[in-house]
Amino acid sequence: MLHHMTSEPEQQIGVGIQDAFQRLWTPHRMAYIQGENKPTGPGAGDGCPFCSIPARSDEDGLVIARGESVYAVLNLYPYNGGHLMVVPYRHVADYTDLDPAETAELGEFTKRAMTCLRTASGAHGFNIGMNQGTVAGAGIAAHLHQHVVPRWGGDTNFMPVIGHTKVLPQLLADTRKMLAETWPPA
């Protein structure tokens, strides 16, 4: 059976009062909104995803690179394509809890992430940082993680500003593979 495309928007019952806005349905975001895979408590055994990711394969865990004390992993809910995090294996909440070796490798992995993202995607700049504590915006406050978000001139367009929607042009598995292949050696 052949379906004909029309320029008329589909009318759906229950989507609210008719207005001038288009809807871009992103049902995959409900997992994040509802807190799926969020820890049930502050301990390492309380379902912390950052503690369980290293036990998975790189592909299944979206791991880009593994070090002695830290690893680099893609963010499941990226702000931009290539948004990754550098995470210590040890379950610690505060930056001041890191030992000197963890601190050094976290810094080194951040530098390597920047080099990797510049090589792989031509990133023009970066937002790098940690949200320390729930009140500071940490989604998983019990396990420290540093965000490395690549930025490009003009990467903020009408979609996130007006539409409150990010358009990501590549699947996370493909991004992980590209960055893993580009990750610079120590």
XYZ file of all heavy atoms in Angstrom, residues 80-149:
517
model
N 26.081 18.669 23.028
C 26.545 18.794 21.646
C 27.080 17.441 21.219
O 27.477 16.630 22.079
C 27.689 19.817 21.535
C 27.244 21.157 21.014
O 26.113 21.326 20.566
N 28.135 22.127 21.052
N 27.163 17.194 19.919
C 27.775 15.967 19.441
C 29.207 15.864 19.940
O 29.946 16.838 19.886
N 29.606 14.705 20.434
C 30.953 14.520 20.958
C 31.108 14.842 22.433
O 32.197 14.693 22.991
N 30.030 15.282 23.100
C 30.077 15.591 24.536
C 30.498 14.334 25.289
O 29.824 13.316 25.263
C 28.690 16.056 24.977
C 28.548 16.340 26.438
N 27.373 16.846 26.944
C 29.380 16.201 27.501
C 27.496 16.999 28.253
N 28.716 16.607 28.600
N 31.637 14.419 25.941
C 32.130 13.281 26.710
C 32.419 13.697 28.139
O 32.350 14.873 28.489
C 33.359 12.662 26.035
C 34.622 13.511 25.882
C 35.498 13.457 27.132
C 35.418 13.022 24.691
N 32.707 12.675 28.960
C 33.031 12.928 30.357
C 34.273 12.138 30.722
O 34.493 11.040 30.212
C 31.868 12.511 31.265
C 30.614 13.326 31.026
S 29.167 12.689 31.911
C 28.908 11.138 31.063
N 35.079 12.701 31.594
C 36.223 12.005 32.168
C 35.829 11.657 33.598
O 35.426 12.541 34.375
C 37.494 12.871 32.123
C 38.668 12.126 32.751
C 37.815 13.293 30.691
N 35.912 10.354 33.928
C 35.352 9.847 35.180
C 36.389 8.996 35.904
O 36.984 8.091 35.302
C 34.109 8.962 34.879
C 33.429 8.514 36.157
C 33.126 9.684 33.968
N 36.611 9.234 37.204
C 37.487 8.323 37.948
C 36.773 6.987 38.168
O 35.553 6.943 38.296
C 37.720 9.048 39.280
C 36.555 9.961 39.432
C 36.108 10.325 38.047
N 37.551 5.908 38.173
C 36.953 4.606 38.478
C 36.434 4.589 39.916
O 35.387 4.030 40.203
C 37.982 3.484 38.318
C 38.429 3.263 36.895
C 39.734 3.557 36.501
C 37.557 2.738 35.939
C 40.152 3.335 35.198
C 37.967 2.520 34.634
C 39.268 2.817 34.270
O 39.677 2.599 32.984
N 37.186 5.225 40.797
C 36.824 5.234 42.216
C 35.590 6.102 42.434
O 35.470 7.191 41.872
C 38.004 5.760 43.049
C 37.889 5.498 44.531
C 39.250 5.648 45.215
N 39.813 6.978 45.089
C 39.680 7.939 46.000
N 38.979 7.725 47.101
N 40.258 9.112 45.815
N 34.678 5.614 43.250
C 33.417 6.300 43.544
C 33.677 7.387 44.588
O 33.654 7.137 45.789
C 32.392 5.277 44.057
C 31.011 5.838 44.237
N 30.106 5.916 43.198
C 30.396 6.339 45.326
C 28.974 6.436 43.654
N 29.126 6.705 44.935
N 33.942 8.603 44.100
C 34.139 9.763 44.975
C 33.259 10.895 44.459
O 33.031 11.019 43.257
C 35.611 10.221 45.045
C 36.490 9.148 45.665
C 36.146 10.629 43.689
N 32.779 11.709 45.376
C 31.844 12.770 45.003
C 32.522 14.109 44.745
O 32.078 14.868 43.885
C 30.790 12.938 46.095
N 33.576 14.393 45.458
C 34.129 15.744 45.440
C 35.518 15.762 44.816
O 36.327 14.850 45.032
C 34.188 16.290 46.874
C 34.313 17.795 46.913
O 33.263 18.458 46.815
O 35.450 18.297 47.013
N 35.801 16.802 44.083
C 37.107 16.953 43.438
C 38.241 16.874 44.456
O 39.302 16.322 44.176
C 37.128 18.280 42.678
C 38.363 18.512 41.850
C 38.680 17.672 40.787
C 39.210 19.587 42.106
C 39.810 17.879 40.017
C 40.339 19.811 41.337
C 40.642 18.959 40.299
O 41.756 19.177 39.542
N 38.015 17.397 45.641
C 39.056 17.374 46.673
C 39.293 15.967 47.222
O 40.275 15.747 47.933
C 38.710 18.327 47.846
O 37.490 17.902 48.444
C 38.587 19.765 47.356
N 38.417 15.010 46.896
C 38.595 13.623 47.328
C 39.543 12.839 46.432
O 39.945 11.724 46.778
C 37.244 12.891 47.365
C 36.302 13.435 48.420
O 36.789 13.998 49.416
O 35.078 13.293 48.232
N 39.883 13.378 45.254
C 40.790 12.666 44.356
C 42.203 12.645 44.927
O 42.654 13.624 45.533
C 40.827 13.346 42.983
C 39.564 13.304 42.142
C 39.770 14.081 40.837
C 39.128 11.888 41.859
N 42.905 11.528 44.711
C 44.309 11.485 45.131
C 45.159 12.106 44.021
O 44.649 12.395 42.925
C 44.735 10.056 45.493
C 44.730 9.088 44.318
O 44.985 9.497 43.160
O 44.480 7.889 44.554
N 46.437 12.358 44.270
C 47.263 13.038 43.262
C 47.314 12.315 41.904
O 47.283 12.972 40.857
C 48.642 13.098 43.921
C 48.347 13.140 45.391
C 47.149 12.236 45.556
N 47.372 10.997 41.897
C 47.429 10.257 40.630
C 46.120 10.413 39.852
O 46.133 10.587 38.624
C 47.720 8.780 40.888
N 44.988 10.366 40.549
C 43.687 10.549 39.898
C 43.552 11.960 39.335
O 43.074 12.153 38.218
C 42.547 10.267 40.879
C 42.418 8.809 41.258
C 41.517 8.592 42.470
O 41.481 9.465 43.368
O 40.865 7.536 42.527
N 43.987 12.943 40.114
C 43.920 14.334 39.677
C 44.753 14.541 38.421
O 44.310 15.170 37.459
C 44.400 15.282 40.796
O 43.605 15.070 41.959
C 44.303 16.742 40.378
N 45.968 13.984 38.422
C 46.861 14.144 37.269
C 46.276 13.468 36.030
O 46.290 14.050 34.933
C 48.239 13.566 37.585
N 45.769 12.245 36.186
C 45.249 11.545 35.011
C 43.945 12.173 34.516
O 43.705 12.223 33.312
C 45.056 10.055 35.291
C 44.826 9.286 34.002
C 44.814 7.790 34.156
O 44.196 7.285 35.130
O 45.398 7.103 33.289
N 43.127 12.682 35.415
C 41.911 13.378 34.999
C 42.288 14.586 34.135
O 41.688 14.826 33.080
C 41.088 13.802 36.217
C 39.721 14.389 35.865
C 38.642 13.793 36.773
C 39.712 15.894 36.000
N 43.302 15.331 34.553
C 43.775 16.475 33.766
C 44.357 16.045 32.434
O 44.087 16.662 31.396
N 45.141 14.979 32.431
C 45.748 14.479 31.193
C 44.679 13.978 30.224
O 44.751 14.244 29.027
C 46.751 13.363 31.507
C 47.458 12.814 30.290
C 48.248 13.845 29.492
O 48.799 14.793 30.089
O 48.305 13.698 28.257
N 43.670 13.257 30.730
C 42.593 12.773 29.875
C 41.763 13.934 29.317
O 41.270 13.856 28.196
C 41.693 11.779 30.636
C 41.989 10.334 30.316
C 43.269 9.815 30.454
C 40.982 9.495 29.871
C 43.545 8.489 30.159
C 41.246 8.170 29.567
C 42.521 7.664 29.702
N 41.617 14.990 30.079
C 40.890 16.174 29.589
C 41.645 16.783 28.415
O 41.051 17.121 27.388
C 40.689 17.192 30.721
O 39.935 16.573 31.772
C 39.954 18.431 30.227
N 42.975 16.891 28.531
C 43.790 17.411 27.439
C 43.701 16.496 26.217
O 43.565 16.970 25.083
C 45.246 17.549 27.891
C 45.478 18.686 28.871
C 46.845 18.662 29.528
C 47.988 18.580 28.571
N 49.305 18.659 29.257
N 43.751 15.192 26.428
C 43.667 14.241 25.311
C 42.277 14.295 24.667
O 42.152 14.151 23.444
C 44.015 12.837 25.797
C 45.516 12.723 26.101
C 45.881 11.495 26.873
N 45.744 10.281 26.086
C 45.897 9.076 26.602
N 46.187 8.905 27.880
N 45.767 8.008 25.827
N 41.241 14.493 25.481
C 39.882 14.616 24.933
C 39.788 15.827 24.016
O 39.187 15.760 22.934
C 38.859 14.722 26.071
N 40.369 16.938 24.427
C 40.358 18.140 23.596
C 41.085 17.898 22.274
O 40.583 18.255 21.207
C 41.003 19.311 24.351
C 40.206 19.787 25.549
S 41.121 21.008 26.529
C 41.181 22.382 25.367
N 42.241 17.267 22.333
C 43.005 16.952 21.126
C 42.209 16.031 20.216
O 42.122 16.239 18.999
C 44.356 16.305 21.505
O 45.101 17.229 22.300
C 45.158 15.913 20.274
N 41.602 15.019 20.800
C 40.794 14.053 20.055
C 39.632 14.742 19.354
O 39.392 14.519 18.157
C 40.286 12.984 21.027
S 39.167 11.782 20.308
N 38.901 15.570 20.075
C 37.734 16.235 19.507
C 38.125 17.254 18.438
O 37.411 17.426 17.451
C 36.896 16.887 20.607
C 36.139 15.892 21.483
C 35.706 16.531 22.799
C 34.938 15.341 20.724
N 39.245 17.905 18.606
C 39.722 18.820 17.563
C 40.071 18.039 16.294
O 39.745 18.457 15.185
C 40.945 19.597 18.043
C 40.618 20.741 18.947
C 41.853 21.583 19.268
N 41.500 22.683 20.126
C 42.073 22.926 21.295
N 43.042 22.160 21.763
N 41.682 23.958 22.022
N 40.740 16.897 16.467
C 41.141 16.077 15.327
C 39.926 15.470 14.635
O 39.807 15.513 13.409
C 42.092 14.949 15.780
O 43.239 15.533 16.393
C 42.516 14.076 14.619
N 39.016 14.901 15.413
C 37.883 14.165 14.854
C 36.802 15.070 14.282
O 36.171 14.724 13.286
C 37.277 13.254 15.923
N 36.587 16.222 14.917
C 35.423 17.025 14.517
C 35.728 18.496 14.281
O 34.811 19.266 13.999
C 34.342 16.912 15.593
O 34.793 17.494 16.806
N 36.985 18.891 14.411
C 37.334 20.282 14.170
C 36.732 21.243 15.182
O 36.414 22.381 14.834
N 36.574 20.798 16.435
C 35.996 21.664 17.471
C 36.770 22.977 17.556
O 37.997 22.993 17.517
C 36.015 20.954 18.826
N 36.027 24.089 17.659
C 36.633 25.424 17.752
C 36.942 25.815 19.189
O 37.804 26.649 19.438
C 35.688 26.480 17.174
C 35.398 26.290 15.730
N 34.255 26.763 15.149
C 36.082 25.678 14.738
C 34.243 26.456 13.855
N 35.340 25.798 13.589
N 36.206 25.248 20.123
C 36.370 25.575 21.536
C 35.703 24.510 22.386
O 35.179 23.513 21.863
N 35.703 24.713 23.709
C 35.173 23.713 24.631
C 34.545 24.370 25.848
O 34.994 25.430 26.285
C 36.297 22.786 25.140
C 36.966 22.026 24.047
C 38.073 22.546 23.402
C 36.485 20.793 23.646
C 38.682 21.859 22.365
C 37.084 20.096 22.616
C 38.191 20.635 21.968
N 33.539 23.721 26.384
C 33.082 23.976 27.740
C 33.575 22.787 28.542
O 33.282 21.638 28.200
C 31.551 24.058 27.832
C 30.998 25.268 27.108
O 30.269 25.144 26.140
N 31.367 26.447 27.572
N 34.348 23.060 29.590
C 34.912 22.002 30.422
C 34.567 22.330 31.860
O 34.769 23.458 32.308
C 36.439 21.922 30.261
C 36.779 21.546 28.823
C 37.041 20.917 31.248
C 38.250 21.622 28.503
N 34.035 21.335 32.576
C 33.747 21.617 33.976
C 33.045 20.502 34.702
O 32.639 19.495 34.119
N 32.916 20.727 36.000
C 32.263 19.786 36.902
C 31.178 20.516 37.666
O 31.372 21.647 38.098
C 33.255 19.257 37.941
C 34.399 18.496 37.412
S 35.469 18.033 38.789
C 37.028 17.975 37.952
N 30.052 19.859 37.827
C 29.003 20.358 38.702
C 29.160 19.604 40.016
O 28.921 18.404 40.069
C 27.620 20.098 38.080
C 27.463 20.818 36.751
O 27.933 21.934 36.587
N 26.819 20.173 35.815
N 29.593 20.302 41.034
C 29.872 19.680 42.317
C 28.664 19.807 43.236
O 28.392 20.884 43.782
C 31.108 20.329 42.967
C 32.396 20.029 42.238
C 32.876 18.621 42.528
O 33.662 18.416 43.449
N 32.398 17.650 41.770
N 27.924 18.714 43.392
C 26.744 18.694 44.249
C 25.467 18.886 43.461
O 25.457 19.501 42.392
N 24.393 18.357 43.988
C 23.086 18.447 43.342
C 22.659 19.899 43.159
O 22.133 20.268 42.106
C 22.037 17.681 44.163
O 22.494 16.340 44.334
C 20.691 17.663 43.469
N 22.915 20.736 44.158
C 22.502 22.142 44.061
C 23.247 22.886 42.964
O 22.791 23.913 42.478
C 22.663 22.901 45.410
C 21.795 22.285 46.485
C 24.112 22.962 45.848
N 24.402 22.349 42.539
C 25.182 22.964 41.469
C 24.835 22.387 40.102
O 25.433 22.753 39.103
C 26.671 22.780 41.744
N 23.876 21.455 40.076
C 23.420 20.917 38.808
C 23.933 19.541 38.453
O 23.708 19.072 37.344
N 24.640 18.881 39.364
C 25.147 17.539 39.071
C 23.994 16.550 38.988
O 23.227 16.404 39.934
C 26.142 17.089 40.141
N 23.860 15.885 37.841
C 22.821 14.874 37.663
C 23.109 13.636 38.492
O 22.204 13.002 39.024
N 24.383 13.277 38.597
C 24.822 12.169 39.451
C 25.901 12.748 40.347
O 27.091 12.740 40.020
C 25.336 10.986 38.610
C 24.206 10.479 37.716
C 25.851 9.866 39.508
C 24.604 9.408 36.738
N 25.481 13.287 41.473
C 26.377 14.033 42.359
C 27.324 13.130 43.140
O 28.390 13.576 43.554
C 25.555 14.882 43.331
N 26.973 11.870 43.333
C 27.766 10.986 44.179
C 29.047 10.492 43.507
O 29.938 9.999 44.175
C 26.925 9.789 44.626
N 29.133 10.606 42.192
C 30.337 10.140 41.482
C 30.833 11.266 40.578
O 30.187 11.629 39.601
C 30.015 8.890 40.654
C 31.234 8.114 40.229
N 31.300 6.741 40.349
C 32.416 8.498 39.694
C 32.467 6.325 39.895
N 33.158 7.386 39.483
N 31.969 11.801 40.943
C 32.602 12.901 40.226
C 32.731 12.588 38.729
O 33.054 11.461 38.354
C 33.999 13.108 40.816
C 34.903 14.105 40.111
C 34.607 15.500 40.607
C 36.349 13.766 40.330
N 32.470 13.571 37.901
C 32.695 13.443 36.461
C 32.905 14.833 35.873
O 32.238 15.776 36.262
C 31.536 12.717 35.761
C 30.188 13.286 36.059
N 29.523 13.084 37.257
C 29.367 14.056 35.309
C 28.355 13.700 37.228
N 28.234 14.306 36.057
N 33.878 14.924 34.978
C 34.180 16.202 34.327
C 33.660 16.176 32.893
O 33.990 15.274 32.127
C 35.677 16.470 34.317
C 36.034 17.730 33.534
C 37.288 18.368 34.011
O 37.248 19.097 34.995
N 38.387 18.113 33.351
N 32.872 17.166 32.542
C 32.315 17.287 31.199
C 33.317 17.959 30.265
O 33.966 18.929 30.642
C 31.040 18.133 31.216
C 29.914 17.520 31.983
N 28.957 16.729 31.382
C 29.603 17.559 33.301
C 28.095 16.326 32.301
N 28.466 16.810 33.473
N 33.407 17.439 29.047
C 34.169 18.073 27.979
C 33.201 18.188 26.804
O 32.841 17.187 26.187
C 35.418 17.249 27.588
C 36.183 17.941 26.463
C 36.320 17.012 28.800
N 32.745 19.408 26.546
C 31.734 19.654 25.519
C 32.372 20.439 24.374
O 32.776 21.586 24.571
C 30.534 20.450 26.092
C 29.469 20.654 25.025
C 29.957 19.770 27.327
